[in-house]
Amino acid sequence: MRNYIIKRLLLIPVTLLGILALNFIIVQFAPGGPVEYVLAQYQGMNTDATSAISSKNSTLATTKNSSQYQGASGVPDELIKELERQFGFDKPAWLRFGLMIKNYAMFDFGKSFYQDKTVWQLIKEKMPVSISLGLWSTLIIYLIAIPLGIKKAVADGSRFDLITSFLVVVGSAIPVFLFAVALIVIFAGGNYLSWFPLHGLTSDNWEELSTFAKIKDYFWHITLPVMVMVIGGFASLTMLTKNSFLDEINKPYVLTARAKGLSETKVLYGHVFRNAMLVVISGFPSLLVKMLFTGSLLIEVIFSLNGLGLLGYQSIMTRDYPVVFGTMYIFALIGLVLKLISDITYCLIDPRINFDAK
């Protein structure tokens, strides 16, 4: 196992390099950019419309200067050159990529184009929101989905199985944002109840509260967002757990264990559980990363939670490349580390698995 862990650790930098290189190349050919974004703001234009300007419709692209940027009509050449220098586009692409890799190796992600903060400062400010949503949602999803999936496998075909399957299918079919809107209307000052706050992770006077009051205030704010993410995320894990246990229950070693007189509980949790959980554990890294970053984007927008998902989305829209690449680097690194932890957990659950042998 030690050799396998060393190999995987050595592959992490190579994988990160490939991810950064691929996305850097894509960015070079993507329409628009930070210079065009600033030019659009400078001329009082809509940014989306500016990035959509084509060379065929070029009244804005035809300028007295020789600028390569669409929408630069009437903008002094000196301003464009200053923007290129400020954003680093006065250097060739290969040099910019080399400098980025060098800095990223030391976890120096640079400074945001539009905010007077470093990328690390932005990430540290937004991380508590994403961690709160991701960890609580993942924990509750596993606490609900695994026991429910096991119960459904044991009671396969029963009324309980049919009813819960219907509820699971409905839960997975309805978009998450509809659940969010419904909970807001019912419980957060809509047409019915005002039990929960509508925005933020804490109250404005949070610093003035006692320790117990802070804990209470935190859970008061996070209840609805976590509830929405749990509703939208537990369905697939429930069905995965059920199908995994059904596959194991029908195998010969289970029949042999029952024939020896072992109780159903001992057969289920002493033999079946270890093998069936391997498939469930394999999905843990992707689920956690999804809950931490990508899956929480809509929830952060709806509940006004300023987390990493919203930060990444806004940086893409404004072409804030240091923030885009910095957050992507962190996402990829966390995903790779979690995948390695998942493989190590395989071996802890089932010692028969030997990655070194492969």
Side-chain angles (χ1 to χ4, degrees), residues 91-109:
K91 303 180 181 68
W94 64 268
L95 180 57
R96 285 187 280 120
F97 181 72
L99 291 173
M100 183 179 70
I101 295 301
K102 177 183 176 182
N103 293 331
Y104 277 34
M106 298 180 290
F107 285 88
D108 179 9
F109 303 127

Side-chain angles (χ1 to χ4, degrees), residues 171-291:
S172 61
I174 299 178
V176 174
F177 72 89
L178 289 183
F179 283 119
V181 172
L183 291 179
I184 289 174
V185 170
I186 297 174
F187 297 109
N191 298 327
Y192 301 96
L193 304 173
S194 299
W195 290 353
F196 298 97
L198 185 57
H199 60 85
L201 195 61
T202 56
S203 299
D204 295 335
N205 64 336
W206 192 78
E207 294 293 340
E208 304 172 2
L209 301 176
S210 63
T211 301
F212 177 77
K214 286 182 178 179
I215 296 174
K216 182 180 177 181
D217 181 76
Y218 166 75
F219 282 106
W220 181 48
H221 280 78
I222 206 172
T223 297
L224 288 186
V226 169
M227 188 182 301
V228 172
M229 295 182 69
V230 169
I231 292 174
F234 86 100
S236 58
L237 184 61
T238 300
M239 299 309 298
L240 177 64
T241 303
K242 176 191 173 181
N243 293 332
S244 179
F245 271 79
L246 282 177
D247 289 341
E248 294 297 325
I249 287 174
N250 295 322
K251 289 184 177 179
Y253 76 90
V254 176
L255 299 177
T256 303
R258 287 171 175 166
K260 290 181 178 180
L262 296 179
S263 65
E264 193 66 24
T265 300
K266 192 166 185 179
V267 170
L268 188 63
Y269 293 99
H271 297 276
V272 175
F273 185 83
R274 182 179 63 183
N275 296 323
M277 285 302 295
L278 292 176
V279 178
V280 177
I281 291 174
S282 66
F284 177 79
S286 59
L287 177 62
L288 182 56
V289 171
K290 175 184 176 182
M291 290 296 168

Side-chain angles (χ1 to χ4, degrees), residues 70-146:
Q70 298 175 357
S73 178
V75 179
D77 286 337
E78 293 76 12
L79 174 60
I80 296 176
K81 291 179 180 179
E82 175 62 23
L83 290 174
E84 289 179 336
R85 186 196 63 78
Q86 181 179 344
F87 295 142
F89 289 106
D90 57 332
K91 303 180 181 68
W94 64 268
L95 180 57
R96 285 187 280 120
F97 181 72
L99 291 173
M100 183 179 70
I101 295 301
K102 177 183 176 182
N103 293 331
Y104 277 34
M106 298 180 290
F107 285 88
D108 179 9
F109 303 127
K111 194 173 182 179
S112 169
F113 284 160
Y114 311 116
Q115 303 182 57
D116 190 23
K117 295 180 180 179
T118 65
V119 177
W120 258 126
Q121 288 176 318
L122 291 172
I123 291 176
K124 287 189 291 185
E125 287 178 4
K126 316 300 183 183
M127 185 70 79
V129 175
S130 296
I131 290 179
S132 295
L133 291 175
L135 289 182
W136 284 114
S137 300
T138 304
L139 175 63
I140 295 174
I141 285 173
Y142 268 79
L143 289 176
I144 293 175
I146 291 179

